Amino acid sequence: MATDTLAPTRHDDKERKPSGGLFRAFWRWHFYAAFVVAPILLVLASTGLIYLLRFQIEPLMHADVMKVEQPAGATQRVPYEDQRAAVAKAYPKATIASMTEPKGNDRSTDFYLSLPDGSSRDAYVDPWTGEVLGDLNPDTTLSGLAVRLHTDMMLGSTGDILMELGACWAIVMALTGYYLFIRGRTARLRRRLSGAAGSAMRSRHAVIGSVVGASLLILLISGLPWTAFWGTHAQTMATDHSSSMWGSDPGGVSTKGSTLDESLPHSHAHEIPWAQGDSTVPESSKPGKEVSIANIDTTVAVADQAGLHHPLTIALPADDTGVFSAISYAFHDPSREKTLHIDQYGGQVVGAYGFADYPALAKIVSQGIGLHEGRSFGPVSFWAAALSCLMVIFMCVSGPMMWWRRRPRSAGSVAAPRGRMPLRSSPLLAVAIVALGVFLPFFGITLLVALLVDQLILRRIPRLQTWFNVV
């Protein structure tokens, strides 16, 4: 992902000679891919950065409900079950779906509520006093909006398609960018030394692109399992070959229960480890005689004995056959992800599923998603992901700026680089393009469409041939 993303073709003859047909063909691909990719990447990078910083941003924006003050000398928090009772009293018509422990002594306890109209709320409780501080609609917070935009641009299945299409062509743009960065280094240096207009921006675009390109490829590839088409079909293929990108919870013996990601409101499905989202939740067995009744505090105690990583999210049983599910997201270490299902009557573990139980492919995907979310290696991953987002934003802005500065003042052309891919003389390149098209079907399909449009329309209409700089 380097050199001029949207730069035109005005170059002197000296700059053209060492480039060759392959250089200009790659440049042309890079140029047109940017028209598809740049707006989508700008949305993904901006919303990804907001989501990455959610634990810093949201408490500042909603300090009245998210932040608390530990009383002097206080060491014991109010029992979670008492906090739950306070929420139930404050919101009598709501169903308490789950609870997430405070992330620190200065943070409130978060209860996820499902309302009769199908919406959800986050209700916050001061863990030191048991006071209900208020609630927020998770879909309308800044990070909530960022998640919804990042997922499908809030366009449903249409957004899914656009996101996957953008990701596929962004991979192409990154690969062609590296080729341009290496082959175009002499020309860039010559222009920089001569003080040519726009040369400084072009050099920065190239250097920053060479750095962010690798991380962008990691982010794009690790994000593919979330996509509606590629992710679904990749899982189907993996299943057909006796593997899986997530797998079934061996403790999920119930055929009637919901899946784990359905145990929480839609806005909080991301609180569940990705590889466990489709795991089936087992049922509690209601005995015929009196037994102890488990609660949230029982569940946390059992999770502590099992060594689960805090803070925990506890999904509450929805009826008299449901279970308490203690979910350890293990934010900074995906290999410690684990969920325990606790019988709501006897308090015994009726199911357990963690990273060690994942199929081999699911372990790889889970670690990749940890990288994608900037959490696999602690602060290093966090700051690397944040810097990557900022650099992607710069690339999405600097490319169009370069094109705008050097665009032709006369109408009739977008000033795209002129070049045709020399596939006949480069059989390995042809094989690589076909392989990429098979691996990324959306890229392969849209590439075929582009080639057909080029041959059947653009080359037959003189005005379009001039406008698109067709060779």
Side-chain angles (χ1 to χ4, degrees):
M1 187 179 172
T3 105
D4 295 333
T5 302
L6 296 177
T9 58
R10 290 189 302 179
H11 292 276
D12 52 43
D13 293 336
K14 292 182 180 179
E15 188 173 327
R16 291 181 182 180
K17 289 181 181 179
S19 301
L22 193 60
F23 180 91
R24 301 195 70 77
F26 270 57
W27 192 0
R28 185 176 179 84
W29 275 36
H30 194 73
F31 178 88
Y32 279 119
F35 277 99
V36 177
V37 169
I40 296 175
L41 279 186
L42 187 59
V43 172
L44 289 175
S46 301
T47 55
L49 183 61
I50 292 172
Y51 184 70
L52 186 69
L53 298 172
R54 65 193 182 281
F55 296 132
Q56 290 76 30
I57 294 175
E58 294 296 349
L60 291 176
M61 297 180 66
H62 308 288
D64 56 327
V65 294
M66 289 188 173
K67 302 198 74 173
V68 298
E69 185 175 345
Q70 180 178 1
T75 58
Q76 295 294 324
R77 296 172 177 168
V78 174
Y80 289 128
E81 190 60 26
D82 291 347
Q83 296 182 45
R84 183 205 61 77
V87 172
K89 182 178 180 181
Y91 302 89
K93 295 183 179 181
T95 298
I96 302 177
S98 63
M99 178 215 77
T100 295
E101 294 182 300
K103 296 176 176 62
N105 289 333
D106 63 342
R107 297 290 299 275
S108 55
T109 309
D110 189 353
F111 287 85
Y112 305 151
L113 311 180
S114 293
L115 302 182
D117 61 0
S119 64
S120 61
R121 291 290 187 276
D122 286 345
Y124 298 92
V125 179
D126 187 329
W128 302 107
T129 65
E131 176 189 0
V132 178
L133 302 175
D135 65 86
L136 295 172
N137 184 341
D139 285 337
T140 60
T141 61
L142 181 61
S143 60
L145 289 170
V147 169
R148 295 167 67 195
L149 285 169
H150 197 83
T151 302
D152 58 12
M153 301 179 73
M154 298 170 64
L155 295 175
S157 58
T158 300
D160 283 335
I161 294 173
L162 289 175
M163 287 294 192
E164 188 163 349
L165 183 64
C168 292
W169 278 97
I171 292 174
V172 174
M173 190 174 68
L175 294 176
T176 55
Y178 272 117
Y179 181 88
L180 299 178
F181 173 75
I182 296 172
R183 290 294 305 275
R185 60 189 184 280
T186 302
R188 288 195 306 275
L189 179 60
R190 184 186 303 120
R191 288 178 58 82
R192 187 70 183 270
L193 293 176
S194 66
S199 60
M201 176 69 77
R202 182 179 181 182
S203 294
R204 284 193 290 270
H205 184 87
V207 172
I208 293 176
S210 69
V211 175
V212 76
S215 61
L216 179 61
L217 286 171
I218 292 173
L219 291 172
L220 291 169
I221 294 173
S222 62
L224 285 176
W226 273 307
T227 57
F229 182 85
W230 192 97
T232 300
H233 286 77
Q235 167 62 15
T236 300
M237 291 181 63
T239 302
D240 291 342
H241 290 82
S242 301
S243 185
S244 175
M245 292 205 305
W246 45 83
S248 299
D249 187 337
V253 297
S254 171
T255 58
K256 299 180 181 179
S258 63
T259 57
L260 188 57
D261 58 357
E262 293 171 341
S263 299
L264 300 184
H266 175 72
S267 305
H268 292 279
H270 60 274
E271 299 288 346
I272 297 170
W274 180 88
Q276 300 181 27
D278 277 1
S279 61
T280 305
V281 179
E283 293 182 348
S284 290
S285 300
K286 190 171 184 178
K289 56 183 180 179
E290 292 186 5
V291 294
S292 62
I293 302 297
N295 56 32
I296 298 177
D297 296 291
T298 306
T299 303
V300 172
V302 173
D304 278 336
Q305 292 176 0
L308 267 65
H309 186 75
H310 289 267
L312 299 169
T313 291
I314 309 298
L316 279 62
D319 53 35
D320 58 4
T321 64
V323 294
F324 287 96
S325 294
I327 306 163
S328 177
Y329 195 45
F331 189 82
H332 292 304
D333 187 359
S335 66
R336 295 183 63 182
E337 294 173 356
K338 192 169 184 178
T339 294
L340 293 182
H341 302 299
I342 313 298
D343 188 287
Q344 65 169 300
Y345 300 104
Q348 70 272 19
V349 176
V350 294
Y353 190 48
F355 186 88
D357 304 305
Y358 295 174
L361 183 57
K363 290 181 178 179
I364 295 173
V365 172
S366 184
Q367 292 287 5
I369 288 175
L371 285 174
H372 186 97
E373 296 182 337
R375 58 185 181 86
S376 286
F377 302 106
V380 174
S381 291
F382 175 87
W383 290 112
L387 183 60
S388 295
C389 289
L390 291 173
M391 289 192 291
V392 169
I393 293 171
F394 171 81
M395 299 297 288
C396 292
V397 173
S398 62
M401 285 178 60
M402 290 187 295
W403 172 78
W404 185 258
R405 289 177 178 177
R406 299 179 57 196
R407 75 193 189 284
R409 297 301 186 269
S410 59
S413 173
V414 296
R418 294 171 61 87
R420 180 181 293 183
M421 196 67 72
L423 298 179
R424 292 183 180 180
S425 59
S426 306
L428 290 179
L429 178 61
V431 171
I433 292 175
V434 171
L436 192 61
V438 172
F439 179 71
L440 301 172
F442 273 28
F443 163 69
I445 293 170
T446 52
L447 176 61
L448 287 175
V449 171
L451 292 176
L452 288 174
V453 170
D454 179 69
Q455 293 295 322
L456 301 179
I457 300 178
L458 300 186
R459 296 181 183 277
R460 298 173 184 269
I461 302 177
R463 175 171 289 185
L464 291 179
Q465 189 174 8
T466 302
W467 176 261
F468 288 99
N469 276 15
V470 176
V471 176

